[in-house]
Amino acid sequence: MSTAPRWTSTHAGSTPTELHQGALLATALEYANRGWHVFPLIPGSKRPATPRHAAADCDHRDPWCRNGHTGWEQRATTNPDRITRAWTTAPYGIGIACGPSGLLVIDTDTPKPGAALPAVELRGEATSGEGVLIALAEDCGEPDGLPETWTVETPSGGVHRYFTTAHLTESLGNSAGRLGPWIDTRGAGGYVVAPPTVTGAGRYLVGLDTQPEPLPAWLVQRLTTRPATPVGPREPRPVTHHSAYLRSVLSKEAQHVREAAEGGRNHALFIAACCLGELVAGGSLTEAEASGVLLDACAGHIAAGAFTEAEAWQTIRSGFRRGAAKPRTAA
């Protein structure tokens, strides 16, 4: 672990803005020294500062994109010279690309006021991501919960727990709701906002300053194995055994959600849930199958702050209810 002091920099000036910019630079360099790949976020935002265009709009004029579109994950770096050049230009927030950094971050959140509480099939009354995670650990035979690891407190009252993945044979991507309500994970293809970044919602703070621990085996199993479909009077076949038509429907609806543009993401999720809700009502899919596909598809939007995991659950449930009015089946 780096012994360099945090929140200090020789580049810092005397004004609050200059001091904050110096702290951002010093901390970005510290993260890089840990081997964590960082990239700049738009000041005051959780969005990447570069590239300034989507992959679909790439004209290859950006020097980074001459040989094909290059996104924030590919631009993330541990190079101190590049980091210094970037953070002396502007008080950029700090994003950490989880995949290249060998990290899996568990993000527990709190429900928004007035939001409906989803049913949690775990022991106890869990009304937040932290509560669900504790109950999940107990159900998995881990009464002591999670090991102490590098932890960040988010402005929304949530918690980011950083775990290393070097011991895994396969990479883990993002997930939304797979571990339970109000719990997301960020891995390959995902990023987290790191301290001391400040957004419109507030400041990200280090909660526990220690070495990140390896991701526990019971969490690896939960993140690599889908829950079994409950047995009922009309037990459908697993998704892998569905017809080509049904697999195509699932793939297309997931694609529509993933590719939804800013401002239309929640609507796209609702429409996709309506479509799959018709098939759920007709017995061709289970809610677990349909919601799993949709939650995975919108994980990137949750990471970008378009909506929370709890809001995504609420939108999917609303779509299922609407779709249930027009049940249909698929061969």
Side-chain angles (χ1 to χ4, degrees), residues 11-25 43 87 89-92:
H11 295 271
S14 57
T15 69
T17 299
E18 290 172 334
L19 289 169
H20 180 57
Q21 186 171 346
L24 289 164
L25 169 58
W87 270 272
T89 302
Y92 292 119

Side-chain angles (χ1 to χ4, degrees), residues 60-198:
H60 307 297
R61 288 188 292 182
D62 184 324
W64 280 90
C65 299
R66 286 172 180 167
N67 297 318
H69 180 71
T70 304
W72 55 263
E73 187 172 33
Q74 293 75 35
R75 301 183 189 212
T77 184
T78 59
N79 184 301
D81 292 334
R82 285 179 52 198
I83 293 169
T84 300
R85 284 197 299 269
W87 270 272
T88 51
T89 302
Y92 292 119
I94 303 172
I96 295 178
C98 297
S101 303
L103 295 172
L104 190 289
V105 177
I106 297 179
D107 174 10
T108 55
D109 209 346
T110 56
K112 288 189 174 182
L117 299 180
V120 182
E121 296 180 358
L122 297 166
R123 290 196 300 266
E125 295 295 329
T127 58
S128 69
E130 285 292 285
V132 173
L133 194 59
I134 291 170
L136 180 62
E138 292 177 351
D139 276 22
C140 291
E142 301 289 337
D144 295 331
L146 292 168
E148 291 190 344
T149 191
W150 174 272
T151 303
V152 171
E153 298 173 0
T154 72
S156 67
V159 176
H160 290 174
R161 286 179 175 83
Y162 289 43
F163 292 96
T164 62
T165 59
H167 61 297
L168 303 183
T169 57
E170 296 182 7
S171 63
L172 294 174
N174 303 325
S175 73
R178 182 173 292 185
L179 293 178
W182 309 297
I183 304 178
D184 302 337
T185 64
R186 298 289 172 263
Y191 69 89
V192 287
V193 181
T197 301
V198 177

